[in-house]
């Protein structure tokens, strides 16, 4: 049972007896062998020398395809690409959270002439590709590639973070706001000092998950001409050292991205686990069982559904 | 206006390619994602582990890098195919973990009591899954799945950077050729994307609402 005990699947079948355990073991061994064989096949395919126009080229794991990584200058160059990516991501992350706060406050405003245009604007930004937005900024505002990437990411992710925060605000128990108002706070004070901090904490895992998306999306800079990791590794380095290194450079780029993203993802999961275990609001937002699974879409969906419900009871 | 109107054939061509990318990679991703989910909840530990690794790796790789692999590295390795086909591969691979997560959270979202009740009235594994768990899981899966497809619609634009002439690529071309009406062209392109994503989003909201009431 072990690992599956938390999910619903474990109640689907009886505790395995000797026969079921044997079947599971056999299944494990068979699929394990199939997976290892598949992996070995791919590795063998990659390692085999290849023929191209009568010339035999070395396999993908041949030292002659990897020797550039002994050169510290190559690593300096790769480091510059990593810094460029992180720089764009950091500036965009700060901007996106700030814009998200503003959007969420505007979107949940009491004034219809603020709330409704904001809703339309958010819908507009949310529905189009970030890449198109980058192109727009690049051509119309003619900023450099860096700012085109950063501003588009700020607008796009700010919209999504704003939507998450709004859902968090609306899903708060109404008593919070009533208590604040009865203490004599103004609407805006209550929102800023009482409701917002709680919503922010509640939605923190979703915000961090969105920042992973933002980090991944900086790679779109490749298409609009910003020298981030992919462009600096795969375009500049590969064309400098030749096509021979395309595969090894790809692997290095992939490993760099996976390392950064997995670290941030795990941080998001840890945060989500922390807020889920400590936050007393969890039961209001995620009434459904099985919310131990920190899938952000589901959490956001539940939050926005709860928000909609409480809005319906408030206005209707 | 007349000039913008004269560009319609190119817009239409781009939009058609975008819709094709959406339909084909969406369908393939659904198949692959279902397979991954099946592995993820299967009683065989090796398959569970493989599905978890697949999900984690595919989710944390930028789409641009996936496209780079299919468009440049694969042909270098001797795997040659039309770029449209390679774009299907890239989008399917990238979307599959998101589909799998949506499906899995739907299955996990069915209260344990439902399966327990089914078991206690004597239903077997097949009956419990097909009659009690899956119908409920399916309903809860639809709204997040729609969100995955909205994201896919927007992601097809990345194919435009890798030799596939879809809406983004044809927009870029049109902007280059018609420097005097840059803003109208870009706004029209955005409107065409919105024409796909907004109805999907509204459908998701409607279904979500119904789902909440039914609980």
């Amino acid at each position: 049972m072990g690992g599956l005990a938390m999910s619903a699947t474990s109640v689907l079948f009886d505790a395995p007896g000797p026969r079921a355990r044997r079947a599971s073991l056999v299944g494990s061994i068979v699929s394990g062998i199939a997976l290892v064989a598949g992996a070995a096949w791919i590795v063998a395919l990659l390692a085999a020398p290849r023929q191209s126009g009568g010339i035999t080229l070395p396999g993908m794991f041949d030292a002659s395809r990897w020797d550039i990584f002994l050169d510290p200058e190559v690593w300096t160059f790769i480091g510059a690409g990593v810094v460029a990516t992180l720089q764009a991501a950091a500036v965009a992350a700060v901007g996106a959270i700030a814009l998200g706060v503003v959007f969420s406050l505007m979107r949940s405003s009491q004034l219809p002439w603020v709330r409704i245009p904001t809703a339309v604007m958010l819908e507009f930004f949310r529905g189009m590709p970030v890449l198109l937005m980058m192109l727009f900024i690049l051509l119309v505002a003619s900023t450099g590639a860096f700012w085109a990437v950063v501003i588009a990411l700020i607008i796009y992710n700010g919209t999504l973070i704003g939507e998450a925060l709004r859902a968090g605000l609306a899903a708060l128990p109404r008593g919070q706001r009533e208590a604040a108002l009865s203490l004599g706070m103004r609407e805006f004070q209550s929102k800023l000092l009482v409701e917002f901090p709680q919503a922010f904490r509640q939605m923190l895992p979703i915000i961090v998950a969105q920042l992973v998306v933002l980090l991944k999306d900086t790679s779109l800079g490749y298409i609009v001409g910003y020298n981030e990791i992919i462009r600096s590794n795969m375009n500049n380095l590969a064309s400098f050292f030749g096509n021979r290194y395309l595969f090894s450079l790809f692997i290095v780029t992939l490993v760099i991205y996976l390392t950064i993203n997995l670290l941030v993802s795990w941080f998001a999961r840890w945060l989500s686990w922390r807020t889920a275990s400590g936050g007393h609001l969890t039961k209001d937002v995620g009434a459904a069982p099985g919310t131990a699974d920190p899938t952000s879409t589901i959490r956001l969906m539940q939050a926005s559904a709860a928000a909609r419900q409480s809005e319906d009871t408030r206005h209707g | 206006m007349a000039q913008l109107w004269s560009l319609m054939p190119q817009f239409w061509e781009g939009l058609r390619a975008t819709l094709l990318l959406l339909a084909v990679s969406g369908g393939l991703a659904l198949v692959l994602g279902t397979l991954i989910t099946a592995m993820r909840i299967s009683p065989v530990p090796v398959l569970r582990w493989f599905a978890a690794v697949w999900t984690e790796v595919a989710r944390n790789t930028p789409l641009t890098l996936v496209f780079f692999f299919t468009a440049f590295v694969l042909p270098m390795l001797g795997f040659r195919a039309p770029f449209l086909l390679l774009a299907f591969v890239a989008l399917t691979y990238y979307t599959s973990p998101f589909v799998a997560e949506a499906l899995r959270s739907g299955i996990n979202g069915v209260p344990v009591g439902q399966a327990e009740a089914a078991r206690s009235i004597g239903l077997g594994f097949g009956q419990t899954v097909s009659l009690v768990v899956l119908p409920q899981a399916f309903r809860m899966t639809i709204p997040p799945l729609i969100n995955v497809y909205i994201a896919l619609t927007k992601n097809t634009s990345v194919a435009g950077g890798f030799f596939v002439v879809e809406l983004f690529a044809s927009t870029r071309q049109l902007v280059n050729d018609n420097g005097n009406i840059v803003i109208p062209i870009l706004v029209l392109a955005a409107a065409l994307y919105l024409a796909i994503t907004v109805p999907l989003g509204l459908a998701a909201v409607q279904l979500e609402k119904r789902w909440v009431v039914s609980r």
Side-chain angles (χ1 to χ4, degrees):
Chain A
M1 299 265 282
L4 264 181
M6 50 164 271
S7 75
T9 39
S10 55
V11 295
L12 294 179
F13 30 80
D14 294 315
R19 255 180 64 191
R21 269 208 298 269
R22 208 176 316 129
S24 161
L25 186 66
V26 169
S28 268
I29 291 171
V30 169
S31 51
I33 288 173
L35 284 178
V36 169
W41 180 67
I42 291 175
V43 168
L45 214 60
L46 288 175
R50 56 202 62 236
Q51 307 289 333
S52 171
I55 313 162
T56 310
L57 299 172
M60 290 301 146
F61 300 114
D62 193 87
S64 70
R65 287 186 186 269
W66 294 83
D67 52 8
I68 48 167
F69 295 109
L70 293 175
D71 185 352
E73 257 188 68
V74 169
W75 286 105
T76 322
F77 202 85
I78 293 175
V82 174
V83 168
T85 286
L86 292 180
Q87 214 169 21
V91 177
V94 173
I97 291 177
L99 190 66
V101 171
V102 173
F103 274 160
S104 72
L105 292 177
M106 281 165 72
R107 179 71 175 76
S108 57
S109 159
Q110 301 289 317
L111 309 166
W113 56 267
V114 174
R115 190 176 60 228
I116 295 168
T118 312
V120 173
M121 187 174 68
L122 293 186
E123 206 59 47
F124 180 72
F125 287 146
R126 213 158 52 139
M128 71 161 135
V130 204
L131 198 51
L132 195 64
M133 228 183 275
M134 287 179 187
L135 187 69
F136 195 104
I137 296 165
L138 198 61
L139 292 176
V140 176
S142 47
T143 58
F146 175 79
W147 287 108
V149 170
V150 167
I151 294 172
L153 287 175
I154 287 177
I155 294 176
Y156 182 74
N157 293 288
T159 306
L160 295 179
I161 290 174
E163 201 63 7
L165 286 174
R166 182 195 68 92
L169 274 179
L172 279 181
R174 241 191 302 176
Q176 295 291 330
R177 174 190 184 73
E178 285 163 359
L181 292 181
S182 69
L183 281 177
M185 287 188 183
R186 307 226 166 235
E187 293 271 356
F188 196 66
Q189 277 179 314
S190 149
K191 191 151 270 168
L192 219 56
L193 299 175
V194 176
E195 297 169 62
F196 197 78
Q198 300 185 55
F200 194 83
R201 176 159 179 263
Q202 191 64 30
M203 289 297 145
L204 200 54
I206 292 178
I207 292 171
V208 179
Q210 193 55 45
L211 295 183
V212 178
V213 176
L214 184 150
L215 185 64
K216 281 199 302 180
D217 280 353
T218 55
S219 68
L220 293 172
Y222 170 79
I223 297 172
V224 293
Y226 174 57
N227 272 324
E228 42 67 68
I229 306 178
I230 298 184
R231 178 164 275 271
S232 82
N233 281 6
M234 311 299 296
N235 255 28
N236 304 352
L237 277 182
S239 59
F240 182 72
F241 287 106
N243 229 13
R244 189 150 55 110
Y245 296 104
L246 196 63
F247 181 75
S248 43
L249 282 169
F250 170 78
I251 295 293
V252 168
T253 312
L254 178 65
V255 168
I256 291 172
Y257 255 119
L258 284 181
T259 313
I260 299 174
N261 286 341
L262 285 175
L263 285 178
V264 184
S265 293
W266 282 332
F267 176 65
R269 210 161 294 183
W270 175 79
L271 256 186
S272 150
W273 168 81
R274 241 193 63 149
T275 42
S277 57
H280 56 284
L281 287 167
T282 348
K283 62 177 186 296
D284 293 306
V285 173
T291 37
D293 178 18
T295 314
S296 60
T297 24
I298 290 289
R299 273 177 72 99
L300 182 57
M301 208 180 83
Q302 280 163 347
S304 61
R308 219 164 270 126
Q309 230 177 10
S310 72
E311 258 173 19
D312 285 351
T313 50
R314 207 171 294 167
H315 299 301
Chain B
M1 197 66 215
Q3 191 185 355
L4 192 62
W5 193 247
S6 71
L7 304 176
M8 275 305 153
Q10 276 132 300
F11 268 119
W12 171 236
E13 202 184 320
L15 183 65
R16 236 179 21 193
T18 291
L19 289 173
L20 186 68
L21 283 168
L22 175 62
V24 174
S25 8
L28 291 176
L30 189 61
V31 174
L32 190 57
T34 311
L35 217 65
I36 299 288
T37 314
M39 288 186 187
R40 192 80 193 252
I41 61 170
S42 80
V44 181
V46 173
L47 292 181
R48 278 209 303 271
W49 174 83
F50 175 75
V53 170
W54 175 284
T55 308
E56 204 71 339
V57 170
R59 254 204 322 193
N60 286 295
T61 316
L63 181 58
T64 319
L65 198 58
V66 179
F67 263 105
F68 197 93
F69 180 78
T70 58
F72 294 112
V73 180
L74 273 186
M76 196 268 296
L77 293 172
F79 185 87
R80 277 166 217 291
F83 284 115
L84 186 66
L85 221 63
L86 295 171
F88 289 151
V89 173
L91 285 171
T92 303
Y93 168 76
Y94 184 77
T95 310
S96 67
F98 295 99
V99 171
E101 285 299 275
L103 292 176
R104 190 169 72 102
S105 50
I107 290 176
N108 279 348
V110 177
V112 183
Q114 295 288 323
E116 282 170 352
R119 289 298 307 277
S120 70
I121 56 169
L123 298 188
F125 172 74
Q127 286 168 314
T128 310
V129 170
S130 65
L131 297 176
V132 177
V133 176
L134 277 188
Q136 299 186 54
F138 183 69
R139 245 188 357 181
M140 288 200 265
T141 300
I142 297 294
L145 260 188
I146 292 178
N147 286 329
V148 170
Y149 283 108
I150 292 176
L152 175 60
T153 311
K154 292 183 279 183
N155 284 337
T156 55
S157 63
V158 181
F162 293 89
F163 317 116
V164 178
V165 185
E166 43 65 76
L167 193 47
F168 175 74
S170 54
T171 304
R172 193 156 63 166
Q173 189 56 47
L174 287 174
V175 165
N176 281 342
D177 297 345
N178 302 274
N180 55 333
I181 49 165
V182 168
I183 292 179
I185 291 177
L186 290 171
V187 169
L188 182 58
L192 288 174
Y193 275 110
L194 288 169
I196 307 174
T197 53
V198 168
L200 282 174
L202 291 177
V205 167
Q206 282 307 315
L207 289 166
E208 241 176 73
K209 250 187 200 164
R210 236 191 265 177
W211 171 64
V212 169
V213 170
S214 75
R215 279 211 153 272

